[in-house]
């Protein structure tokens, strides 16, 4: 997944994204590190936040633009 790269490219902290997702910072950290699976609702929320597709976040495409 590309959530760490997206976060760093946007100069955000794990805490800021955790607050946006209404979760704890350590939970978000576990998502980034692959220790915990990212729930679908968080995946969709992050895609909307970054204005990209879930496919891009999951690494299924290199096209950053969201679908129409």
């Amino acid at each position: 997944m590309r959530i760490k790269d997206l976060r760093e490219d946007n100069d955000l902290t794990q805490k800021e994204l955790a607050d946006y997702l209404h979760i704890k910072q350590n939970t978000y950290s576990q998502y980034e590190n692959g220790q915990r699976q990212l729930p679908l609702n968080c995946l969709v929320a992050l895609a909307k936040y970054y204005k990209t597709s879930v496919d891009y976040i999951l690494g299924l495409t290199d096209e950053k633009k969201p679908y129409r």
Side-chain angles (χ1 to χ4, degrees), residues 4-67:
K4 183 176 182 178
D5 293 334
L6 284 166
R7 178 180 59 79
E8 291 174 345
D9 289 348
N10 287 277
D11 297 321
L12 297 166
T13 65
Q14 288 182 345
K15 176 78 170 111
E16 289 171 317
L17 285 172
D19 289 345
Y20 172 74
L21 297 172
H22 306 291
I23 58 174
K24 294 183 179 182
Q25 182 273 326
N26 66 332
T27 302
Y28 185 84
S29 176
Q30 291 173 340
Y31 295 154
E32 278 193 357
N33 295 324
Q35 296 172 331
R36 181 179 267 195
Q37 196 168 30
L38 185 65
L40 288 177
N41 64 319
C42 290
L43 177 61
V44 171
L46 289 173
K48 288 179 180 180
Y49 183 84
Y50 290 123
K51 296 179 177 72
T52 191
S53 68
V54 294
D55 286 351
Y56 179 78
I57 292 175
L58 294 172
L60 299 175
T61 183
D62 291 328
E63 181 63 42
K64 203 170 186 177
K65 288 176 96 179
Y67 301 121

